[in-house]
Amino acid sequence: GNSVTQMEGPVTLSEEAFLTINCTYTATGYPSLFWYVQYPGEGLQLLLKATKADDKGSNKGFEATYRKETTSFHLEKGSVQVSDSAVYFCALSPQSRGKSTFGDGTTLTVKP
Amino acid sequence: DAMVIQNPRYQVTQFGKPVTLSCSQTLNHNVMYWYQQKSSQAPKLLFHYYDKDFNNEADTPDNFQSRRPNTSFCFLDIRSPGLGDAAMYLCATSGLASQETQYFGPGTRLLVL
């Protein structure tokens, strides 16, 4: 079956530090890959997505590149802010109709 | 703005007392999902509807039921809540095509006393 493995947290960074959250996946075919973010007390919201190999998703300074050869979709941001503190979920949606698979989430805390 | 709305945001119930959580959407999406999430863990899918076609996950307890009377509304019924059912319940929607983005509501946090 499909699976998503995320870097374990929690991650604590100082403001303006560089962020990487690793995500690798197992799936057949060509799934779409997503990063969702969940702020305290809220639902998940889409941060970025990529639908095919070598696609780069980007939003709000975050980026992730769909790497088919390493089955990875690592999330990066060059300079984090306190407002980026949240839980980040990597997810995949299979090529054929089927349920999405979520990683276990990585909690990011950014300190001023 | 088009959105997914969940009511109430917080729900307190007693052990064994039935409770219903509601979700509505203005996105006109055909697919609706109910997830259970505990302590910022990965959301766990309970059910989903492709339009009126109901899909139950194999490990969803019988204590959980769902209704979708029309495209816009979906309900989660917990017939006899136990302490272990205390969690955040997330409703989400998406289009019918595969690999669509899911749009989540803000969630209902259920407390069982």
Side-chain angles (χ1 to χ4, degrees):
Chain A
N2 298 333
S3 68
V4 174
T5 303
Q6 270 184 250
M7 171 176 141
E8 286 190 22
V11 174
T12 302
L13 296 173
S14 297
E15 207 165 21
E16 299 184 2
F18 184 85
L19 169 71
T20 300
I21 301 178
N22 290 338
C23 172
T24 57
Y25 69 92
T26 303
T28 55
Y30 296 88
S32 285
L33 301 174
F34 303 81
W35 278 101
Y36 289 90
V37 59
Q38 185 175 32
Y39 298 102
E42 297 184 13
L44 281 68
Q45 56 185 273
L46 177 69
L47 180 60
L48 51 85
K49 66 184 281 189
T51 58
K52 60 183 188 294
D54 300 324
D55 262 4
K56 178 186 282 187
S58 61
N59 185 26
K60 299 181 181 179
F62 291 89
E63 293 183 340
T65 301
Y66 189 144
R67 300 288 188 199
K68 183 71 173 172
E69 64 277 12
T70 54
T71 61
S72 65
F73 192 55
H74 304 321
L75 182 67
E76 296 183 336
K77 186 175 185 183
S79 177
V80 293
Q81 305 300 312
V82 172
S83 57
D84 295 326
S85 298
V87 183
Y88 292 81
F89 291 93
C90 184
L92 71 82
S93 180
Q95 186 173 8
S96 58
R97 181 184 283 186
K99 68 178 184 179
S100 295
T101 300
F102 290 84
D104 288 336
T106 301
T107 300
L108 170 67
T109 302
V110 180
K111 296 189 173 180
Chain B
D1 284 343
M3 56 176 56
V4 181
I5 302 162
Q6 289 189 247
N7 286 305
R9 293 291 310 273
Y10 299 91
Q11 176 73 58
V12 181
T13 191
Q14 292 179 332
F15 183 94
K17 184 174 181 181
V19 66
T20 295
L21 310 181
S22 70
C23 176
S24 64
Q25 54 126 342
T26 60
L27 296 160
N28 204 31
H29 281 162
N30 291 97
V31 189
M32 293 188 79
Y33 310 81
W34 277 107
Y35 289 91
Q36 180 192 65
Q37 186 185 30
K38 295 186 175 183
S39 301
S40 292
Q41 297 174 14
K44 178 182 181 299
L45 185 63
L46 297 173
F47 323 93
H48 65 283
Y49 287 88
Y50 284 113
D51 201 5
K52 294 182 180 180
D53 182 21
F54 175 71
N55 296 271
N56 191 26
E57 291 300 298
D59 58 354
T60 298
D62 292 340
N63 197 26
F64 291 83
Q65 308 276 313
S66 183
R67 296 170 283 136
R68 188 179 185 186
N70 54 53
T71 301
S72 301
F73 286 88
C74 196
F75 299 97
L76 173 63
D77 301 308
I78 308 176
R79 292 192 295 184
S80 182
L83 298 179
D85 297 327
M88 175 78 90
Y89 290 88
L90 297 168
C91 174
T93 73
S94 73
L96 264 179
S98 62
Q99 305 186 319
E100 293 258 352
T101 300
Q102 293 188 32
Y103 294 84
F104 286 81
T108 294
R109 183 163 296 282
L110 178 68
L111 180 62
V112 182
L113 300 178

